[in-house]
Amino acid sequence: MTYAEAVFAPGFVKMIKTYRDIFGDDVDLHYCDEHAHIDQHHGRITREQVLLALAEKHGPGVIPELMRGIAEARLLGRWFEEDTAAQIQWADDIARYRELGEVALPAGGAPQRVELSSASPFGTRSHDHAVVLVLEQGEADLVATATGEPERLVRGDTLLIPAGRVYGVKAVSPPPRDGMPDGTCCHGHTARTASVPR
């Protein structure tokens, strides 16, 4: 908590500068301004009343564990930043990953098949390995960002989804009726590592 509070204030200062550079005075930065100020105090309070107080109460033997906690928080923060950047980069380059999906080689085995309807609950997923998503039937919206527009997928479309990328698929085709093959069906193949770009 002390490390988080220590990095929040300078992080908000950088955020304010970035937003001002992009949007000028048209953006309301009251929340960021408030945290840039108050988190300086929070950092001082947690340092003095938590870390230093623990060290004083329990002696120098706890200091290595306190330092380890800070190092672990920094590591987790770095992993979060790297993964967030990779997610944004993938989402910004979906057109390229559509093309890569057409040429990625399946690793073998039966594909995982999912049938969706417009009434199906929406959810996101990710995989520990690269997957080639193929839309067999219908139309669906691919959601790869929290705020961006979804990407429309139609029958026959493919998409390479690298390991660890978060995505959701929402059917937009009408549900099956009177035996007609409406609805949406997609399947995912595990992609061979050699066919996945780094």
Side-chain angles (χ1 to χ4, degrees):
M1 185 166 73
T2 300
Y3 175 74
E5 292 292 355
V7 298
F8 282 162
F12 276 111
V13 169
K14 289 179 182 177
M15 198 180 302
I16 291 166
K17 181 182 182 327
T18 300
Y19 286 154
R20 285 276 180 246
D21 289 348
I22 295 171
F23 301 109
D25 293 330
D26 294 335
V27 62
D28 180 359
L29 294 174
H30 177 76
Y31 179 87
C32 296
D33 286 328
E34 185 70 24
H35 278 277
H37 168 73
I38 199 65
D39 285 338
Q40 293 177 32
H41 300 293
H42 291 165
R44 179 182 46 78
I45 290 166
T46 58
R47 183 181 65 250
E48 293 175 3
Q49 297 181 15
V50 178
L51 283 185
L52 296 179
L54 284 170
E56 186 175 323
K57 180 176 181 179
H58 298 288
V62 300
I63 293 175
E65 290 302 314
L66 296 174
M67 297 303 295
R68 178 180 174 172
I70 292 172
E72 289 173 350
R74 291 181 66 188
L75 178 64
L76 290 173
R78 188 175 80 236
W79 286 348
F80 171 78
E81 289 175 4
E82 290 170 357
D83 191 61
T84 300
Q87 179 74 27
I88 293 168
Q89 185 177 13
W90 174 68
D92 284 349
D93 208 8
I94 289 292
R96 176 174 174 254
Y97 284 89
R98 282 177 175 263
E99 295 171 2
L100 292 170
E102 294 176 7
V103 297
L105 302 173
Q112 181 182 359
R113 198 165 185 273
V114 178
E115 293 187 22
L116 302 168
S117 75
S118 54
S120 298
F122 176 77
T124 57
R125 61 193 54 84
S126 67
H127 308 280
D128 293 334
H129 50 269
V131 168
V132 178
L133 181 73
V134 180
L135 201 71
E136 289 180 354
Q137 178 179 301
E139 294 186 10
D141 281 341
L142 171 79
V143 178
T145 69
T147 57
E149 290 295 317
E151 183 87 7
R152 181 59 52 93
L153 301 174
V154 298
R155 181 180 177 175
D157 279 353
T158 61
L159 176 72
L160 177 64
I161 303 168
R165 293 307 103 232
V166 178
Y167 70 99
V169 178
K170 177 71 175 166
V172 293
S173 302
R177 62 186 187 283
D178 300 329
M180 297 297 291
D182 293 334
T184 300
C185 180
C186 53
H187 69 262
H189 286 280
T190 299
R192 286 189 193 159
T193 305
S195 67
V196 179
R198 294 182 182 255

